[in-house]
Amino acid sequence: MPSVVSKQYSDDVSLLVLLLDTNPLFWSTTSITFSQFLSHVLAFLNAVLGLNQLNQVVVIATGYSSCDYIYDSSLTSNHGNLESNGIGMPALFGSLLKKLEDFVTKDEELSKEEVSEDRIPSCLLSGSLSMALCYIQRVFRSGHLHPQPRILCLQGSPDGPEQYVAVMNSIFSAQRLMVPIDSCYIGVQNSAFLQQASYITGGVHHTPKQLDGLFQYLTTIFATDLHSRGFVQLPKPIGVDFRAS
């Protein structure tokens, strides 16, 4: 495969693959509603697309039992602006919300059938990481130029020990491809998976203290392209949990 550097656009052009935690078992126990969380995320995505006209955004929904692509900015003719739907929640495009609504409905039905007392109510992080890396590999091989890829995990669900091997395989694959994995954990307990993913791949891991200011955290920390990160002060990990699950 040709070297990654020889195929990139300018340093400030980014491909952001966002892994969005939609696990219904997590969102039924949080203080912030999923709609409020989504309004912060969509405003952040709109800001990323507005920073550079060549920036690309891909959103992968990560549920309890499944994961799927729900948005790809490269398939649209223009990025569009924030608009308001019937309940006043900002949205990038109506199709994104429609696909997300369909996905959440199907995943909730599957979770009711598969949920058990023995399993930790985790999201399918291993599956969404694999999908993100597959998409990035397609981008690498699609043409002579591509934006600089990175993955951002927005997760609140606890780690699932049964996914440990698959998640670590994805982390080491991302490291080999030189794709940083950023992570923003909004749950009560921190995620050892995401801490290790960000540390090993050279990404940024952060746990916001106030979720009502989530948009500010996302834009000031995770909207920064990889080239600009060398000139700004980003949060550094105090300690990383390297224990195997």
Side-chain angles (χ1 to χ4, degrees), residues 193-226:
F193 287 175
L194 296 184
Q195 289 182 53
Q196 294 181 47
S198 297
Y199 181 84
I200 293 172
T201 62
V204 179
H205 176 77
H206 187 66
T207 304
K209 301 301 181 183
Q210 297 178 335
L211 294 183
D212 55 352
L214 182 60
F215 173 71
Q216 285 82 356
Y217 287 108
L218 294 175
T219 51
T220 55
I221 298 175
F222 300 106
T224 311
D225 61 78
L226 300 183

Side-chain angles (χ1 to χ4, degrees), residues 40 74 82 101 106-107 118 134 143 146 164 170 182-183 193:
H40 291 286
S74 66
L82 284 176
E101 182 180 2
K106 293 179 181 179
D107 189 64
D118 298 332
C134 287
H146 65 77
Y164 177 75
S170 295
D182 297 330
S183 52
F193 287 175

Side-chain angles (χ1 to χ4, degrees), residues 13-33:
V13 181
S14 300
L15 164 60
L16 175 65
V17 183
L18 177 70
L19 310 187
L20 188 66
D21 188 351
T22 63
N23 183 3
L25 302 180
F26 165 72
W27 287 110
S28 62
T29 61
T30 58
S31 58
I32 183 174
T33 66

Side-chain angles (χ1 to χ4, degrees), residues 133 167-177 181 200-201:
L133 291 172
V167 168
M168 293 307 299
N169 285 339
S170 295
I171 292 173
F172 291 130
S173 296
Q175 181 190 37
R176 183 179 180 183
L177 293 172
I181 300 178
I200 293 172
T201 62

Side-chain angles (χ1 to χ4, degrees), residues 52-72:
N52 192 309
Q53 63 178 354
L54 295 177
N55 280 355
Q56 296 181 24
V57 167
V58 175
V59 181
I60 299 175
T62 309
Y64 176 80
S65 302
S66 58
C67 47
D68 197 8
Y69 299 100
I70 60 171
Y71 179 72
D72 185 347

Side-chain angles (χ1 to χ4, degrees), residues 2 22 32 40 54 62 86 88 93 96 119 126 131 134 137 147 162-163 175 184 187 192 215:
T22 63
I32 183 174
H40 291 286
L54 295 177
T62 309
F93 297 105
L96 186 155
R119 177 180 168 181
S126 58
M131 292 179 68
C134 287
Q137 277 280 26
E162 71 282 355
Q163 300 183 58
Q175 181 190 37
C184 180
F215 173 71

